[in-house]
Amino acid sequence: MSVINSIDKTATEAAAAGKQYVEVSKKYYQLKVFQQLTSTSSYVVKTVIIGGLLLLAFLFMAIGAALALGDLFNNIPLGYAAVGGIFILLGLLVYGRRTFIDKILIKNMSKTYFD
């Protein structure tokens, strides 16, 4: 009977250790998910705030540049067209380099999520 009691005791201890491992793992993954969510949320909020402010700055700078070019050309619509053309060129440049931008984003985000 001693052998059966010993096996029963060992099985009970193993079950308890397994249960404790599952509980600790669950808590770890909950903390990991919380960390990832807060990190992502923080990144999105900062990006939206900074992006919005930069967008306003570029908007005012574009209007100012268009007016200045309009005065230079003695034709306000031509100044706006020139600024629009500059933005089209910038858009084409960014479009041409989109794979490079993707690589940079993937590299930076992988550091955040896998470290």
Side-chain angles (χ1 to χ4, degrees):
M1 286 301 243
S2 168
V3 172
I4 294 175
N5 289 339
S6 176
I7 291 173
D8 183 43
K9 180 180 176 187
T10 303
T12 303
E13 289 173 357
K19 183 178 179 182
Q20 182 183 9
Y21 173 76
V22 169
E23 289 174 5
V24 169
S25 294
K26 180 181 173 186
K27 289 179 183 179
Y28 169 76
Y29 285 113
Q30 285 175 337
L31 285 172
K32 188 68 172 170
V33 167
F34 177 74
Q35 177 203 15
Q36 296 298 327
L37 286 174
T38 54
S39 175
T40 302
S41 299
S42 171
Y43 180 76
V44 168
V45 168
K46 288 187 281 188
T47 302
V48 167
I49 291 171
I50 293 169
L53 292 173
L54 286 175
L55 180 66
L56 284 172
F58 283 130
L59 177 68
F60 283 111
M61 288 174 61
I63 291 170
L67 290 173
L69 286 174
D71 284 343
L72 182 68
F73 297 144
N74 292 324
N75 189 348
I76 298 294
L78 188 59
Y80 280 97
V83 170
I86 292 169
F87 281 130
I88 288 173
L89 289 174
L90 287 173
L92 291 173
L93 180 69
V94 169
Y95 181 77
R97 301 292 291 175
R98 67 187 180 278
T99 56
F100 177 72
I101 295 168
D102 287 342
K103 288 178 186 177
I104 291 173
L105 286 174
I106 290 170
K107 185 177 178 182
N108 288 337
M109 294 304 280
S110 67
K111 288 179 184 176
T112 300
Y113 289 109
F114 297 116
D115 286 341

